[in-house]
Amino acid sequence: MSAAPTLQSFIAGRWLGQHGAQALRSALDGHVLAYSHEERPDFAEAVDYARARGLASLMGMDFQQRAQRLKALALYLAECKEQLYALSHHSGATRADSWIDIEGGNATLFSYAGIGSRELPSGNLVHEGPAIPLGKQGHFAGSHILVPRAGVAVHINAFNFPIWGMLEKFAPTFLAGMPCIVKPATSTSYLTEAVVRLMNASGLLPEGSLQLVIGSTGDLLDRLQGQDVVTFTGSADTAAKLRVTPNLIRNSVPFTAEADSLNCAILGPDVSPDSEEFDLYIKEVVREMTTKAGQKCTAIRRAIVPARHLDAVATRLRERLSKVVVGDPSLEGVRMGALASHDQQRDVGERVRSLLQSCDQLFGASDGFAPRGEGVAEGAFFAPTLLQARDPHAEGGAHDIEAFGPVSTLMAYDDLDEALALAARGKGSLVATLVTADRSVAAKAIPVAAAWHGRLLVLDSQAAKESTGHGSPLPQLKHGGPGRAGGGEELGGLRAVKHYLQRAAVQGSPSMLTAVTGEYVRGGEVIETEVHPFRRYFEQLRVGESLLTHRRTVTEADLVNFGCLSGDHFYMHFDEIAAKASQFGKRIAHGYFVLSAAAGLFVSPGAGPVLANYGLDTLRFINPVGIGDTIQARLTCKRKIDQGKTSPLGQPQGVVAWDVEVTNQLGELVASYDILTLVLKKPA
């Protein structure tokens, strides 16, 4: 066997580390995979490089361009994934375990590329509108903007997901325009180093946008400033220590923690042992005990079940656990691998011994535990272990001690209120699952449980057909929880990007707000030309370019014809007596007639750069339109988004949002909305 390599940090654009320090061993057979390096990085240089080079290179692109770069990175990593799978095997992970880490991380890159493309503007400023009038005559208004923080993000990650854990933080950080310095847990840092090498080799990383620290963070946190951000994933104890770093407190550096927590799964009081939901509960608990050998911050640590079904649950869990084959994941039939390190193996053993002070063991190493494979005696394997709390209300025990491995504790309850009280005893967790077929049980339990858990899964036979499971954070949904779980938030779609942006309130005239935000603010100056805005190519259009249409008087024939065409014969449009008795005092036009009539006023019918209207946003009908009223529309270019996309015919195009105001003969607003259109770019 060749000599194990020394891992290197990637600092200030170069790889650092020649001399080996800590040995990192295979979780399967104990042989040395790699060494951390003994050289200490110059963290002043790392931070200065991120500020000088990283910020400049990232701010040289806009949100849309960074989204495109994320997608390209995801495609590149997808081509290289097999070498990551081969390395991940040594962390004790099965192919399915590694899939979560490798494919899950890459899917997060793809997801944030899509989120950026769909939801963020061109440029580097997000307008959180609408603007709010602050004066009576419309000359003074206020709004909110989000801009890149002009700082550095430090991401400190846990050992259990060395690839996904890095990428799920990197993706929104990169999209927000912040360079990041990543510090993985040392025991599995060989995987993080491998993926960073691939990302660097791709040529897609802007200079200084990503740096890697192997080993200690040294004085890195002491060099941060108020524009910087720190995120942490790991134990609650470590999070508590890092959070009170004097420099972070002194400079008000935002610190976000996602900590291991005592997540629970509640079997609803309505579920009986012969029901489909009962089987779902058993499968979910066993899956969470054995996936990644239970080394998930979202794993089920407390299984809370009705007292009358306790024996049935215990029996069914023991039956399933006895069929779990543990060993070298490369062997056919092996369903659970090793813990990630020998230190982790020792730690889990110590925690289980502590739990046994208040619990009885229902299943464990004495039940035929014999890992399969060559050299496994030197591996970091641990038996799936099922415990039962003697007194689920007692202090300490499974409500306070977490064995971060294939360990779960059964707890009995008499009614739903008691189950919810037991769930809350975990002092805050990332996720809780309620398995029930009774919607009234869910309606009662979820609002109560939501105060203590960051994510809630209600699992029944219908949801199970597509459910991603208790332990699967998704890019679209918030990941994080209160109390013991760290009190932070990650992921959650666009929310995660906003964590790395600075929000500011802006006040001024509507015209000034338009200039600042790059988005037309009502009341601001408009640009009226002899050319219809729909005849302009994407590049030619200017924000604020506007058309005031001719007028149209609404007739009874309009209401009748629209009602016959649409099939909408609602009484307010056709029943003179009923309409007169209503709050409007008269028959009124269909709201969608007003919408259609406005389109007839402002649309330029001939072929041109505008390809399609693909949606409406913020539609409101403000005032009723009656027979005899005269309407007029103003169409204004509100914002332009260049997504870098082409039509199916290969024609470059962009997205234009148009502000539409429909008024009556008194100048009153009757309808307000945004139209989204695809607009061609000018042919070369």
Side-chain angles (χ1 to χ4, degrees):
M1 186 178 293
S2 60
T6 297
L7 301 180
Q8 293 182 304
S9 295
F10 187 56
I11 302 294
R14 65 184 186 278
W15 292 97
L16 167 73
Q18 301 296 327
H19 304 290
Q22 180 182 341
L24 310 183
R25 301 182 181 276
S26 168
L28 301 179
D29 59 14
H31 82 269
V32 177
L33 286 172
Y35 293 92
S36 63
H37 62 78
E38 67 176 20
E39 294 90 342
R40 179 178 177 178
D42 183 340
F43 289 114
E45 181 187 27
V47 171
D48 289 346
Y49 185 75
R51 296 193 201 287
R53 302 290 183 86
L55 279 172
S57 64
L58 285 168
M59 296 308 294
M61 300 185 290
D62 65 16
F63 290 120
Q64 290 292 324
Q65 292 166 330
R66 291 193 293 273
Q68 293 167 25
R69 194 66 63 93
L70 278 180
K71 182 177 180 180
L73 267 173
L75 291 169
Y76 179 85
L77 291 178
E79 296 175 355
C80 308
K81 64 184 180 183
E82 288 306 321
Q83 59 185 282
L84 297 176
Y85 273 108
L87 195 56
S88 179
H89 171 75
H90 289 289
S91 71
T94 65
R95 179 84 182 187
D97 295 337
S98 296
W99 185 92
I100 300 170
D101 195 27
I102 297 167
E103 311 276 358
N106 216 26
T108 303
L109 293 183
F110 275 119
S111 181
Y112 274 92
I115 288 168
S117 177
R118 293 188 306 271
E119 301 186 44
L120 289 172
S122 300
N124 282 309
L125 181 149
V126 178
H127 179 207
E128 282 194 321
I132 304 163
L134 300 175
K136 293 182 179 180
Q137 298 180 18
H139 301 306
F140 189 52
S143 196
H144 293 89
I145 61 173
L146 292 164
V147 296
R149 291 181 61 89
V152 180
V154 174
H155 298 317
I156 303 172
N157 295 322
F159 70 86
N160 52 335
F161 289 105
I163 296 175
W164 175 85
M166 183 195 79
L167 295 180
E168 64 97 6
K169 292 183 176 72
F170 168 79
T173 310
F174 183 88
L175 195 52
M178 280 191 93
C180 62
I181 300 173
V182 174
K183 191 280 183 220
T186 303
S187 61
T188 53
S189 58
Y190 51 89
L191 274 162
T192 312
E193 192 224 39
V195 78
V196 171
R197 284 189 181 277
L198 289 172
M199 294 169 73
N200 187 54
S202 73
L204 295 167
L205 280 180
E207 184 183 16
S209 59
L210 176 63
Q211 297 181 74
L212 171 69
V213 177
I214 299 294
S216 170
T217 54
D219 62 355
L220 174 58
L221 299 187
D222 295 327
R223 298 185 176 278
L224 301 183
Q225 301 171 1
Q227 298 305 110
D228 303 325
V229 171
V230 177
T231 69
F232 170 81
T233 299
S235 74
D237 290 342
T238 304
K241 293 175 183 176
L242 293 178
R243 195 189 297 274
V244 295
T245 301
N247 183 59
L248 301 186
I249 296 173
R250 184 167 51 251
N251 286 303
S252 301
V253 177
F255 181 93
T256 299
E258 184 262 286
D260 307 331
S261 60
L262 293 161
N263 313 290
C264 67
I266 300 172
L267 182 65
D270 60 294
V271 180
S272 61
D274 58 353
S275 68
E276 187 175 349
E277 278 73 19
F278 193 90
D279 290 334
L280 291 174
Y281 186 83
I282 300 299
K283 291 176 183 177
E284 202 70 22
V285 172
V286 171
R287 178 168 63 178
E288 290 301 312
M289 287 179 67
T290 57
T291 299
K292 287 287 287 186
Q295 299 167 109
K296 294 168 63 182
C297 57
T298 52
I300 295 170
R301 304 299 178 197
R302 299 173 298 147
I304 303 171
V305 303
R308 66 184 183 279
H309 298 320
L310 180 63
D311 290 341
V313 171
T315 298
R316 201 80 64 87
L317 286 175
R318 283 196 299 264
E319 289 174 355
R320 289 189 70 91
L321 289 171
S322 67
K323 297 175 183 178
V324 175
V325 179
V326 181
D328 184 335
S330 65
L331 298 179
E332 187 175 353
V334 169
R335 283 185 52 200
M336 189 180 103
L339 298 179
S341 69
H342 294 77
D343 286 343
Q344 187 63 18
Q345 182 189 44
R346 286 187 290 273
D347 182 73
V348 173
E350 291 173 3
R351 299 298 180 99
V352 168
R353 285 190 288 275
S354 296
L355 284 168
L356 286 172
Q357 300 299 311
S358 60
C359 300
D360 296 321
Q361 183 168 304
L362 303 181
F363 188 89
S366 59
D367 294 279
F369 180 59
R372 295 183 184 179
E374 186 177 346
V376 293
E378 301 302 319
F381 294 91
F382 199 92
T385 303
L386 180 66
L387 307 175
Q388 179 182 329
R390 299 187 194 105
D391 178 3
H393 292 283
E395 292 295 326
H399 291 307
D400 290 289
I401 301 169
E402 180 178 24
F404 201 75
V407 181
S408 190
T409 301
L410 277 175
M411 299 178 176
Y413 73 85
D414 289 325
D415 58 33
L416 186 58
D417 288 336
E418 184 181 10
L420 294 171
L422 290 173
R425 291 288 299 281
K427 303 176 183 67
S429 77
L430 297 171
V431 57
T433 288
L434 171 65
V435 178
T436 180
D438 189 330
R439 294 172 188 173
S440 65
V441 169
K444 176 181 179 180
I446 294 303
V448 176
W452 297 94
H453 308 282
R455 176 168 58 87
L456 295 157
L457 167 65
V458 182
L459 187 61
D460 62 4
S461 58
Q462 183 177 357
K465 297 171 184 176
E466 295 183 314
S467 172
T468 51
H470 167 98
S472 299
L474 298 173
Q476 303 92 330
L477 297 177
K478 166 198 163 181
H479 180 50
R484 182 187 174 110
E489 290 189 13
E490 296 175 347
L491 301 177
L494 194 59
R495 294 174 183 83
V497 181
K498 291 182 177 181
H499 291 328
Y500 302 104
L501 299 173
Q502 176 63 43
R503 179 178 286 106
V506 182
Q507 297 167 286
S509 70
S511 295
M512 282 297 181
L513 293 182
T514 296
V516 169
T517 64
E519 182 173 297
Y520 172 70
V521 173
R522 284 188 183 172
E525 294 177 5
V526 296
I527 305 166
E528 294 183 288
T529 70
E530 295 178 357
V531 179
H532 192 291
F534 276 21
R535 315 310 301 174
R536 302 274 199 196
Y537 286 100
F538 182 81
E539 304 95 320
Q540 296 172 327
L541 266 172
R542 292 168 291 174
V543 170
E545 196 159 334
S546 186
L547 170 73
L548 181 64
T549 71
H550 58 283
R551 293 181 292 272
R552 172 175 177 168
T553 299
V554 178
T555 67
E556 181 173 15
D558 290 328
L559 272 66
V560 173
N561 290 335
F562 190 83
C564 292
L565 180 65
S566 65
D568 180 355
H569 292 94
F570 188 60
Y571 77 91
M572 284 300 302
H573 312 312
F574 291 95
D575 188 330
E576 188 76 40
I577 296 173
K580 191 171 184 178
S582 74
Q583 69 187 62
F584 303 117
K586 60 182 179 180
R587 290 163 61 193
I588 61 173
H590 307 70
Y592 293 107
F593 166 76
V594 175
L595 210 64
S596 300
L601 292 173
F602 64 67
V603 164
S604 177
V610 175
L611 297 173
N613 165 1
Y614 72 91
L616 299 176
D617 282 344
T618 65
L619 171 62
R620 292 292 184 273
F621 298 118
I622 313 299
N623 284 299
V625 174
I627 296 169
D629 284 346
T630 299
I631 61 173
Q632 186 175 33
R634 177 171 285 282
L635 175 80
T636 307
C637 178
K638 183 173 184 178
R639 64 178 172 273
K640 297 167 57 180
I641 304 173
D642 186 353
Q643 298 176 321
K645 294 183 178 180
T646 59
S647 73
L649 300 177
Q651 301 165 301
Q653 61 187 26
V655 173
V656 176
W658 306 86
D659 176 81
V660 181
E661 298 174 89
V662 186
T663 54
N664 62 19
Q665 68 276 10
L666 301 175
E668 298 169 332
L669 192 64
V670 300
S672 173
Y673 52 98
D674 292 350
I675 292 179
L676 305 175
T677 61
L678 299 176
V679 179
L680 285 175
K681 294 182 179 179
K682 191 173 183 178

